Amino acid sequence: MNVSSILWLTWRQHRWPVTGVTVLALCAAYALLATGAEHQVVGALMLPGFYAIVVQLVFGGVIGVFWGAPLIARELEDRTYFVAWGQDVTAVEWLRGKVVVLGLLAAVLGAVIGIGDGFTGDPERTWNSFEAHPALQAGYAVFGLALGVLVGLLTRHVVTAMAATLVFYTVVRGLTSTLVRVHLLPVEREIVRWESTPRVPEGALTLGTGFVDSDLDPVAVTDRCAALNVNTCMRSSGAAVGRYVDYQPLDRIGLFQFMETGLFVLLTAVLLVVTFRILRRSGGWKPTRSHRRIEPDAAQSGPESQNEPDEQPDAQSKPDGEADQSASDTAAAQAEG
């Protein structure tokens, strides 16, 4: 199958989902880049920008639900895979071509979604707009596509695959943003004694605070101080000699964005490897050509079997003729007698 055939087939089967998602991405990108009137407060979030950020958060899931999940699930559910995979193209080649075309388009649209953050006149990056990055959004998009394809292959039902893809995508994105992202690199820690105040760099992401003992190691709040003024009690009781603050500095945003992009690209590769391995090794839904192939023995026995009905009446007619002849001879003998 050449490139033009792959493009035509993909467009023919997925033109409406592709068109809808493309329009959504372009509208969201326009809203994210809109700066609004000059009198607006710098860093303000416009209402179109808010809706565009929502699209930015769920765009990879949209790709997975409407592009990835029905890709194989519809063929298996409608049993059209006998036609799609029973020609000169194998199931692996068919899926490879579609994944390449849709994956490239998803990455491009994801990059378009990531070019803006929805804030007006804010020239600097902040942790609040962490996901406003073209490479990161492209990674989310291809991950959603790969996830949907694998779920569709396992469920073999379009609606079930779409729902499961949305759930799994949301869980993975939620766990990544809350548990993995902030720990890609060790946190910075600011430790001060009671007479000083912790100073966190401007724009840094604060992750936690606590108390330190005389060895400057974190110490838990005692049971006695839990119900009182914690700072005063910990200081007066000598349970702590100061405080600490854990944070991620602002200058790590770019590095964290590329690290998370690499993480989702790796997950995408794993999902695709698993998908192709299952598709290649599982024969339960693979069409075979044996039911359409004429074996040599069958071809030779065919004419003989067709001649048998013709010969059978002749065999039956001959005894009937002999019986008629014998009957007429008997009648003639009786007449002569």
Side-chain angles (χ1 to χ4, degrees):
M1 178 178 282
N2 53 29
V3 178
S4 60
S5 299
I6 295 175
L7 292 176
W8 181 88
L9 178 63
T10 305
W11 169 253
R12 182 67 178 173
Q13 290 186 322
H14 307 280
R15 58 187 182 276
W16 296 118
V18 168
T19 302
V21 174
T22 301
V23 172
L24 177 66
L26 294 178
C27 293
Y30 174 79
L32 290 168
L33 291 174
T35 56
E38 297 180 357
H39 65 272
Q40 289 183 337
V41 180
V42 174
L45 179 62
M46 301 173 59
L47 187 59
F50 170 76
Y51 291 121
I53 288 178
V54 174
V55 174
Q56 197 177 65
L57 291 174
V58 302
F59 185 73
V62 172
I63 292 289
V65 169
F66 293 101
W67 289 12
L71 191 63
I72 296 182
R74 179 174 289 113
E75 301 288 345
L76 297 176
E77 183 179 3
D78 296 341
R79 300 185 65 83
T80 56
Y81 61 92
F82 284 107
V83 178
W85 304 344
Q87 307 299 321
D88 295 333
V89 180
T90 64
V92 174
E93 294 173 347
W94 178 89
L95 180 60
R96 185 190 301 121
K98 287 201 169 187
V99 166
V100 169
V101 174
L102 293 178
L104 290 176
L105 183 57
V108 171
L109 294 179
V112 171
I113 284 289
I115 60 179
D117 57 7
F119 290 89
T120 59
D122 194 354
E124 296 184 1
R125 296 175 299 176
T126 63
W127 286 98
N128 292 331
S129 59
F130 180 87
E131 297 179 352
H133 191 274
L136 188 58
Q137 287 296 325
Y140 293 156
V142 295
F143 168 74
L145 178 65
L147 178 63
V149 172
L150 178 57
V151 173
L153 178 61
L154 295 177
T155 59
R156 310 189 199 182
H157 189 265
V158 176
V159 177
T160 304
M162 295 173 72
T165 299
L166 182 60
V167 171
F168 285 125
Y169 180 84
T170 304
V171 170
V172 172
R173 283 289 307 275
L175 293 177
T176 302
S177 61
T178 57
L179 300 179
V180 179
R181 177 183 301 169
V182 295
H183 299 292
L184 291 175
L185 291 177
V187 297
E188 297 285 341
R189 175 168 290 177
E190 177 73 13
I191 301 176
V192 296
R193 296 189 177 272
W194 292 116
E195 58 272 10
S196 303
T197 302
R199 294 184 179 181
V200 178
E202 184 179 359
L205 178 64
T206 302
L207 301 178
T209 61
F211 302 97
V212 294
D213 56 13
S214 58
D215 296 329
L216 302 183
D217 294 327
V219 61
V221 178
T222 60
D223 297 336
R224 175 173 174 269
C225 296
L228 302 174
N229 189 323
V230 178
N231 291 333
T232 303
C233 180
M234 293 292 289
R235 181 176 184 178
S236 60
S237 63
V241 298
R243 291 172 294 176
Y244 74 89
V245 177
D246 289 338
Y247 64 93
Q248 291 287 2
L250 182 62
D251 55 6
R252 289 184 177 179
I253 290 182
L255 179 59
F256 275 44
Q257 287 171 332
F258 280 104
M259 292 177 69
E260 188 166 326
T261 301
L263 174 62
F264 275 90
V265 171
L266 179 61
L267 291 175
T268 301
V270 172
L271 293 175
L272 291 178
V273 168
V274 173
T275 300
F276 281 101
R277 190 178 184 87
I278 294 175
L279 189 63
R280 184 179 293 109
R281 295 200 172 191
S282 298
W285 49 73
K286 280 188 178 181
T288 61
R289 297 189 179 96
S290 61
H291 65 282
R292 292 183 284 109
R293 186 185 297 116
I294 300 176
E295 299 295 339
D297 297 339
Q300 294 176 0
S301 61
E304 297 177 357
S305 63
Q306 294 177 357
N307 292 332
E308 289 179 357
D310 297 335
E311 295 174 356
Q312 187 173 4
D314 295 339
Q316 293 177 357
S317 62
K318 186 175 181 180
D320 293 341
E322 293 177 354
D324 295 339
Q325 184 66 29
S326 60
S328 60
D329 293 343
T330 303
Q334 292 178 354
E336 290 177 358

XYZ file of all heavy atoms in Angstrom, residues 2-87:
670
model
N 0.705 2.101 -0.997
C 1.527 3.292 -1.089
C 0.963 4.414 -0.227
O -0.097 4.291 0.400
C 1.635 3.745 -2.551
C 0.263 3.897 -3.201
O -0.718 4.195 -2.519
N 0.192 3.675 -4.503
N 1.715 5.530 -0.204
C 1.340 6.638 0.678
C 0.009 7.242 0.274
O -0.834 7.565 1.119
C 2.448 7.702 0.665
C 2.054 8.888 1.526
C 3.765 7.108 1.160
N -0.209 7.410 -1.026
C -1.466 8.019 -1.470
C -2.672 7.166 -1.090
O -3.727 7.688 -0.711
C -1.422 8.232 -2.988
O -1.248 6.989 -3.660
N -2.517 5.843 -1.171
C -3.619 4.961 -0.790
C -3.903 5.057 0.703
O -5.061 5.053 1.132
C -3.291 3.521 -1.171
O -3.103 3.398 -2.563
N -2.840 5.131 1.501
C -3.018 5.256 2.949
C -3.723 6.561 3.293
O -4.648 6.598 4.110
C -1.661 5.167 3.658
C -1.050 3.777 3.465
C -1.798 5.480 5.138
C 0.346 3.648 4.031
N -3.283 7.650 2.665
C -3.907 8.949 2.940
C -5.373 8.942 2.520
O -6.237 9.444 3.250
C -3.138 10.048 2.205
C -1.726 10.341 2.702
C -1.056 11.382 1.807
C -1.742 10.824 4.144
N -5.651 8.387 1.343
C -7.035 8.367 0.876
C -7.904 7.515 1.782
O -9.029 7.899 2.127
C -7.086 7.825 -0.553
C -8.486 7.791 -1.101
C -9.141 8.793 -1.755
C -9.407 6.691 -1.017
N -10.410 8.390 -2.096
C -10.604 7.105 -1.648
C -9.338 5.421 -0.476
C -11.711 6.276 -1.756
C -10.446 4.592 -0.577
C -11.606 5.016 -1.219
N -7.419 6.332 2.172
C -8.212 5.459 3.027
C -8.459 6.091 4.391
O -9.583 6.040 4.927
C -7.498 4.113 3.188
C -8.176 3.088 4.108
C -9.532 2.693 3.550
C -7.292 1.860 4.287
N -7.423 6.693 4.967
C -7.577 7.332 6.280
C -8.563 8.483 6.212
O -9.422 8.639 7.090
C -6.221 7.820 6.790
O -5.296 6.729 6.800
C -6.344 8.378 8.196
N -8.440 9.301 5.184
C -9.361 10.425 5.043
C -10.779 9.933 4.785
O -11.739 10.481 5.326
C -8.903 11.333 3.918
C -9.908 12.373 3.532
C -10.676 12.426 2.405
C -10.290 13.507 4.313
N -11.505 13.506 2.419
C -11.290 14.197 3.577
C -9.896 14.014 5.547
C -11.886 15.362 4.042
C -10.493 15.170 6.017
C -11.474 15.840 5.273
N -10.909 8.893 3.982
C -12.246 8.395 3.642
C -12.964 7.857 4.873
O -14.163 8.081 5.055
C -12.115 7.291 2.582
C -13.442 6.717 2.103
C -14.233 7.741 1.345
N -15.485 7.186 0.847
C -16.432 7.912 0.257
N -16.236 9.210 0.091
N -17.545 7.346 -0.153
N -12.257 7.155 5.736
C -12.880 6.530 6.894
C -12.975 7.465 8.097
O -13.841 7.266 8.947
C -12.104 5.272 7.283
C -12.244 4.135 6.292
C -11.598 2.866 6.780
O -10.531 2.889 7.399
N -12.234 1.738 6.528
N -12.094 8.458 8.200
C -12.026 9.281 9.416
C -12.151 10.772 9.115
O -11.694 11.595 9.911
C -10.699 9.020 10.142
C -10.417 7.589 10.430
N -10.982 6.905 11.491
C -9.642 6.683 9.775
C -10.557 5.656 11.491
N -9.757 5.483 10.460
N -12.780 11.113 8.012
C -12.810 12.527 7.624
C -13.614 13.380 8.604
O -13.223 14.517 8.888
C -13.367 12.676 6.207
C -14.761 12.119 5.997
C -15.116 12.167 4.511
N -16.465 11.686 4.244
C -16.783 10.415 4.091
N -15.830 9.486 4.200
N -18.021 10.050 3.845
N -14.708 12.837 9.141
C -15.516 13.659 10.041
C -14.853 13.844 11.403
O -14.790 14.977 11.900
C -16.911 13.058 10.188
C -17.683 13.055 8.901
C -18.147 11.980 8.212
C -18.063 14.203 8.124
N -18.786 12.358 7.055
C -18.759 13.725 6.981
C -17.879 15.569 8.279
C -19.273 14.574 6.013
C -18.391 16.429 7.310
C -19.078 15.931 6.210
N -14.333 12.807 12.054
C -13.591 13.057 13.305
C -12.370 13.937 13.099
O -12.078 14.806 13.940
C -13.202 11.646 13.771
C -14.184 10.743 13.129
C -14.492 11.356 11.816
N -11.649 13.746 11.997
C -10.462 14.568 11.743
C -10.852 16.025 11.538
O -10.216 16.938 12.077
C -9.700 14.018 10.523
C -8.647 15.008 10.057
C -9.045 12.690 10.863
N -11.909 16.255 10.784
C -12.351 17.633 10.540
C -12.810 18.298 11.825
O -12.455 19.455 12.110
C -13.492 17.634 9.516
O -13.040 17.023 8.294
C -13.945 19.056 9.216
N -13.596 17.579 12.633
C -14.095 18.171 13.877
C -12.984 18.506 14.858
O -12.963 19.599 15.446
N -12.044 17.596 15.039
C -10.954 17.847 15.973
C -10.038 18.950 15.462
O -9.524 19.759 16.241
C -10.168 16.541 16.230
C -8.932 16.805 17.074
C -11.058 15.524 16.929
N -9.833 19.025 14.163
C -8.996 20.091 13.598
C -9.623 21.456 13.819
O -8.933 22.414 14.199
C -8.786 19.839 12.097
O -8.168 18.557 11.909
C -7.899 20.906 11.496
N -10.908 21.560 13.582
C -11.596 22.836 13.827
C -11.517 23.218 15.300
O -11.281 24.386 15.653
C -13.060 22.745 13.356
C -13.847 23.980 13.784
C -13.115 22.574 11.844
N -11.713 22.246 16.184
C -11.611 22.504 17.619
C -10.219 23.001 17.991
O -10.072 23.958 18.765
C -11.946 21.233 18.393
C -11.810 21.307 19.925
C -12.838 22.278 20.506
C -11.981 19.920 20.537
N -9.184 22.382 17.449
C -7.813 22.786 17.768
C -7.512 24.187 17.261
O -6.881 24.990 17.971
C -6.825 21.780 17.175
N -7.948 24.510 16.067
C -7.679 25.831 15.512
C -8.415 26.919 16.291
O -7.855 27.997 16.561
C -8.074 25.873 14.036
C -7.246 24.967 13.102
C -7.776 25.061 11.680
C -5.777 25.346 13.158
N -9.668 26.666 16.662
C -10.419 27.652 17.445
C -9.786 27.854 18.820
O -9.671 28.989 19.317
C -11.870 27.214 17.580
S -12.806 27.211 16.037
N -9.373 26.766 19.462
C -8.738 26.873 20.769
C -7.407 27.610 20.682
O -7.071 28.426 21.553
C -8.538 25.495 21.376
N -6.639 27.347 19.630
C -5.363 28.038 19.468
C -5.566 29.532 19.264
O -4.810 30.353 19.802
C -4.599 27.439 18.282
N -6.585 29.893 18.501
C -6.873 31.321 18.312
C -7.248 31.986 19.634
O -6.802 33.097 19.936
C -8.002 31.486 17.298
C -8.455 32.914 17.141
C -7.717 33.810 16.374
C -9.620 33.370 17.764
C -8.123 35.132 16.236
C -10.034 34.675 17.621
C -9.279 35.561 16.863
O -9.670 36.859 16.733
N -8.054 31.320 20.436
C -8.443 31.879 21.728
C -7.251 31.970 22.677
O -7.144 32.912 23.465
C -9.556 31.041 22.348
N -6.347 31.005 22.619
C -5.176 31.032 23.494
C -4.227 32.162 23.139
O -3.538 32.708 24.012
C -4.431 29.697 23.410
C -5.124 28.491 24.041
C -4.430 27.199 23.641
C -5.155 28.616 25.556
N -4.176 32.517 21.862
C -3.270 33.578 21.428
C -3.885 34.969 21.490
O -3.173 35.963 21.318
C -2.815 33.304 19.985
C -1.892 32.089 19.800
C -1.636 31.847 18.325
C -0.588 32.286 20.542
N -5.194 35.055 21.706
C -5.857 36.358 21.729
C -5.377 37.161 22.930
O -5.372 36.694 24.061
C -7.373 36.180 21.794
N -4.957 38.378 22.689
C -4.438 39.231 23.758
C -5.470 40.205 24.301
O -5.264 40.774 25.369
C -3.228 40.023 23.257
O -3.608 40.777 22.087
C -2.098 39.073 22.870
N -6.564 40.420 23.577
C -7.599 41.312 24.090
C -7.219 42.782 23.973
O -6.248 43.157 23.303
N -7.975 43.612 24.646
C -7.775 45.057 24.580
C -6.545 45.471 25.386
O -6.090 44.774 26.287
C -9.019 45.786 25.092
N -6.014 46.627 25.065
C -4.804 47.101 25.727
C -5.031 47.484 27.181
O -4.111 47.457 27.985
C -4.251 48.312 24.972
C -3.819 47.979 23.538
C -3.279 49.195 22.835
O -3.311 50.289 23.457
O -2.835 49.075 21.678
N -6.273 47.847 27.528
C -6.537 48.305 28.895
C -6.707 47.150 29.874
O -6.876 47.369 31.065
C -7.794 49.185 28.926
C -9.045 48.421 28.559
N -9.463 48.283 27.255
C -9.956 47.767 29.335
C -10.601 47.579 27.229
N -10.917 47.255 28.477
N -6.649 45.933 29.409
C -6.815 44.811 30.314
C -5.568 44.633 31.173
O -4.462 44.996 30.792
C -7.097 43.525 29.527
C -8.488 43.514 28.914
C -8.759 42.210 28.198
O -7.825 41.523 27.808
N -10.020 41.883 28.023
N -5.775 44.062 32.337
C -4.683 43.853 33.281
C -3.725 42.820 32.727
O -4.130 41.786 32.185
C -5.239 43.395 34.652
C -4.103 43.165 35.637
C -6.224 44.435 35.181
N -2.428 43.108 32.889
C -1.419 42.170 32.415
C -1.523 40.865 33.216
O -1.574 40.867 34.438
C -0.012 42.778 32.561
C 1.051 41.732 32.202
C 0.116 43.995 31.682
N -1.558 39.758 32.505
C -1.678 38.466 33.166
C -3.103 38.038 33.422
O -3.320 36.985 34.028
N -4.095 38.837 32.984
C -5.488 38.458 33.192
C -5.867 37.322 32.248
O -5.329 37.185 31.152
C -6.402 39.661 32.949
N -6.814 36.516 32.700
C -7.284 35.378 31.911
C -8.647 35.720 31.340
O -9.616 35.906 32.072
C -7.372 34.121 32.775
C -7.873 32.854 32.067
C -6.921 32.466 30.942
C -8.009 31.716 33.066
N -8.738 35.796 30.027
C -9.996 36.093 29.374
C -10.875 34.850 29.369
O -10.400 33.726 29.508
C -9.745 36.570 27.948
C -8.874 37.812 27.845
S -8.465 38.188 26.126
C -10.096 38.384 25.431
N -12.189 35.063 29.207
C -13.122 33.950 29.187
C -12.856 33.000 28.021
O -12.848 31.770 28.214
C -14.555 34.469 29.140
C -15.656 33.401 29.285
C -15.498 32.660 30.618
C -17.033 34.041 29.179
N -12.618 33.501 26.799
C -12.244 32.548 25.725
C -10.966 31.790 26.049
O -10.832 30.619 25.708
C -12.075 33.450 24.500
C -12.895 34.655 24.792
C -12.781 34.865 26.273
N -10.028 32.483 26.706
C -8.803 31.805 27.101
C -9.056 30.692 28.106
O -8.392 29.652 28.083
N -10.028 30.900 28.994
C -10.363 29.866 29.981
C -10.889 28.614 29.287
O -10.467 27.497 29.582
C -11.399 30.411 30.958
C -11.993 29.359 31.851
C -11.280 28.857 32.928
C -13.263 28.857 31.609
C -11.827 27.875 33.743
C -13.820 27.892 32.423
C -13.091 27.398 33.498
N -11.831 28.811 28.345
C -12.361 27.657 27.627
C -11.274 26.987 26.784
O -11.251 25.749 26.641
C -13.528 28.082 26.735
C -14.760 28.490 27.511
C -15.303 29.756 27.384
C -15.388 27.593 28.360
C -16.439 30.134 28.097
C -16.525 27.950 29.075
C -17.038 29.228 28.942
O -18.153 29.586 29.656
N -10.377 27.787 26.240
C -9.293 27.217 25.449
C -8.339 26.405 26.317
O -7.810 25.381 25.884
C -8.532 28.326 24.729
N -8.115 26.847 27.544
C -7.270 26.077 28.456
C -7.929 24.740 28.788
O -7.255 23.710 28.922
C -6.985 26.894 29.734
C -6.020 28.022 29.409
C -6.407 26.013 30.829
C -5.709 28.907 30.599
N -9.255 24.743 28.927
C -9.963 23.485 29.155
C -9.734 22.540 27.973
O -9.471 21.332 28.157
C -11.463 23.743 29.371
C -12.227 22.431 29.456
C -11.679 24.557 30.638
N -9.814 23.072 26.755
C -9.543 22.250 25.576
C -8.107 21.753 25.602
O -7.815 20.604 25.252
C -9.817 23.062 24.293
C -9.408 22.267 23.053
C -11.288 23.444 24.207
N -7.207 22.604 26.041
C -5.794 22.220 26.128
C -5.583 21.069 27.106
O -4.757 20.185 26.884
C -4.975 23.443 26.550
C -3.489 23.338 26.316
C -2.796 24.628 26.692
O -2.782 25.028 27.857
N -2.211 25.297 25.708
N -6.343 21.071 28.174
C -6.211 20.013 29.179
C -6.737 18.667 28.682
O -6.214 17.614 29.053
C -6.954 20.415 30.458
C -6.357 21.574 31.260
C -7.284 21.949 32.410
C -4.979 21.226 31.788
N -7.769 18.690 27.854
C -8.425 17.436 27.459
C -8.148 17.065 26.009
O -8.711 16.080 25.521
C -9.949 17.542 27.677
C -10.273 17.849 29.127
C -10.572 18.607 26.763
N -7.296 17.808 25.317
C -7.142 17.580 23.877
C -6.604 16.185 23.581
O -7.069 15.514 22.648
C -6.215 18.642 23.273
C -6.102 18.537 21.779
C -7.155 18.921 20.972
C -4.944 18.048 21.182
C -7.057 18.816 19.587
C -4.845 17.941 19.818
C -5.896 18.327 19.011
N -5.620 15.723 24.330
C -5.115 14.372 24.118
C -6.184 13.317 24.320
O -6.240 12.317 23.599
N -7.068 13.525 25.305
C -8.173 12.605 25.518
C -9.162 12.630 24.362
O -9.724 11.588 24.002
N -9.390 13.805 23.783
C -10.282 13.902 22.618
C -9.712 13.105 21.446
O -10.445 12.386 20.744
C -10.490 15.383 22.236
C -11.253 15.504 20.921
C -11.240 16.115 23.338
N -8.408 13.219 21.240
C -7.765 12.443 20.178
C -7.951 10.948 20.428
O -8.267 10.170 19.522
C -6.274 12.795 20.090
C -6.085 14.229 19.591
C -5.535 11.817 19.185
C -6.426 14.443 18.152
N -7.732 10.531 21.664
C -7.863 9.116 21.980
C -9.273 8.600 21.841
O -9.499 7.475 21.356
N -10.256 9.403 22.237
C -11.651 8.959 22.222
C -12.200 8.896 20.800
O -12.858 7.916 20.415
C -12.507 9.881 23.104
C -13.989 9.607 22.900
C -12.143 9.699 24.572
N -11.941 9.925 19.990
C -12.583 10.015 18.683
C -11.710 9.504 17.538
O -12.242 9.214 16.458
C -12.996 11.461 18.403
C -14.086 11.958 19.309
C -13.790 12.774 20.389
C -15.398 11.583 19.101
C -14.794 13.221 21.235
C -16.401 12.030 19.935
C -16.104 12.852 21.014
N -10.418 9.413 17.743
C -9.544 8.890 16.696
C -9.036 7.490 17.030
O -9.078 6.602 16.202
C -8.342 9.822 16.478
C -8.668 11.106 15.826
C -9.904 11.635 15.606
C -7.729 12.049 15.293
N -9.804 12.854 14.991
C -8.486 13.134 14.781
C -6.355 12.092 15.211
C -7.876 14.233 14.194
C -5.739 13.194 14.632
C -6.494 14.256 14.116
N -8.510 7.325 18.240
C -7.857 6.069 18.581
C -8.809 4.931 18.882
O -8.660 3.822 18.350
N -9.796 5.190 19.744
C -10.681 4.103 20.186
C -11.455 3.441 19.048
O -11.544 2.211 18.995
C -11.636 4.635 21.261
N -12.040 4.191 18.100
C -12.806 3.507 17.036
C -11.936 2.909 15.932
O -12.471 2.242 15.052
C -13.673 4.647 16.464
C -13.544 5.785 17.404
C -12.217 5.645 18.052
N -10.631 3.143 15.954
C -9.783 2.765 14.823
C -9.868 1.264 14.542
O -10.136 0.844 13.406
C -8.335 3.176 15.106
C -7.381 3.085 13.916
C -7.801 4.033 12.818
C -5.949 3.377 14.346
N -9.642 0.438 15.550
C -9.745 -1.010 15.388
C -11.077 -1.529 15.916
O -11.633 -2.491 15.378
C -8.583 -1.712 16.117
C -7.254 -1.323 15.479
C -8.743 -3.223 16.075
C -6.061 -1.997 16.107
N -11.592 -0.899 16.971
C -12.818 -1.398 17.594
C -13.983 -1.435 16.612
O -14.794 -2.379 16.626
C -13.174 -0.534 18.802
N -14.097 -0.443 15.736
C -15.205 -0.448 14.773
C -15.055 -1.578 13.765
O -16.053 -2.212 13.373
C -15.282 0.895 14.048
C -16.397 0.964 13.017
C -16.573 2.326 12.412
N -17.145 3.260 13.357
C -16.516 4.308 13.858
N -15.264 4.543 13.499
N -17.091 5.128 14.713
N -13.838 -1.840 13.316
C -13.631 -2.941 12.374
C -13.991 -4.279 13.015
O -14.600 -5.144 12.372
C -12.164 -2.967 11.918
C -11.687 -1.691 11.247
C -12.265 -1.499 9.868
O -12.817 -2.471 9.308
O -12.169 -0.375 9.329
N -13.615 -4.460 14.284
C -13.906 -5.724 14.958
C -15.376 -5.854 15.319
O -15.945 -6.943 15.252
C -13.039 -5.833 16.219
C -11.525 -5.867 15.994
C -10.801 -5.886 17.332
C -11.127 -7.068 15.163
N -15.984 -4.743 15.731
C -17.391 -4.804 16.120
C -18.300 -5.036 14.913
O -19.235 -5.831 14.987
C -17.779 -3.501 16.820
C -19.204 -3.484 17.327
C -19.555 -2.186 18.042
O -18.697 -1.278 18.084
O -20.677 -2.080 18.551
N -18.018 -4.360 13.798
C -18.838 -4.518 12.597
C -18.402 -5.694 11.731
O -19.041 -5.968 10.711
C -18.780 -3.236 11.760
C -19.374 -2.052 12.490
O -20.142 -2.274 13.450
O -19.052 -0.903 12.120
N -17.320 -6.355 12.121
C -16.780 -7.507 11.394
C -16.428 -7.156 9.962
O -16.539 -7.987 9.043
C -17.756 -8.687 11.433
C -18.074 -9.184 12.826
C -18.943 -10.433 12.799
N -18.234 -11.545 12.203
C -17.372 -12.329 12.851
N -17.108 -12.090 14.137
N -16.780 -13.330 12.246
N -15.979 -5.933 9.750
C -15.497 -5.522 8.432
C -14.010 -5.764 8.271
O -13.454 -5.449 7.220
C -15.801 -4.030 8.218
O -15.211 -3.266 9.292
C -17.282 -3.776 8.185
N -13.386 -6.297 9.305
C -11.950 -6.545 9.197
C -11.647 -7.655 8.197
O -10.526 -7.755 7.694
C -11.370 -6.897 10.562
C -11.934 -8.143 11.207
C -11.344 -9.378 11.020
C -13.068 -8.067 12.009
C -11.861 -10.522 11.608
C -13.594 -9.201 12.611
C -12.986 -10.419 12.405
O -13.507 -11.540 12.996
N -12.639 -8.519 7.874
C -12.418 -9.538 6.856
C -12.130 -8.902 5.507
O -11.347 -9.423 4.718
C -13.634 -10.456 6.746
C -13.736 -11.456 7.850
C -14.691 -11.314 8.847
C -12.864 -12.523 7.914
C -14.781 -12.232 9.871
C -12.946 -13.449 8.949
C -13.905 -13.303 9.926
N -12.777 -7.763 5.259
C -12.534 -7.047 4.009
C -11.294 -6.172 4.128
O -10.457 -6.123 3.224
C -13.761 -6.195 3.631
C -13.506 -5.404 2.358
C -14.984 -7.078 3.478
N -11.155 -5.457 5.267
C -10.042 -4.522 5.433
C -8.704 -5.232 5.496
O -7.698 -4.741 4.974
C -10.251 -3.693 6.713
N -8.675 -6.405 6.130
C -7.416 -7.120 6.320
C -7.322 -8.373 5.456
O -6.356 -9.120 5.573
C -7.256 -7.520 7.786
C -7.332 -6.370 8.733
C -7.215 -5.045 8.438
C -7.568 -6.429 10.141
N -7.360 -4.280 9.558
C -7.585 -5.102 10.627
C -7.765 -7.477 11.035
C -7.788 -4.802 11.971
C -7.959 -7.179 12.374
C -7.973 -5.851 12.835
N -8.298 -8.626 4.623
C -8.293 -9.833 3.815
C -7.844 -9.601 2.390
O -7.917 -10.506 1.571
N -7.404 -8.382 2.067
C -6.938 -8.090 0.721
C -5.421 -8.279 0.676
O -4.875 -9.142 1.333
C -7.349 -6.657 0.336
C -8.826 -6.374 0.518
C -9.706 -7.263 -0.332
O -9.371 -7.544 -1.476
N -10.823 -7.712 0.223
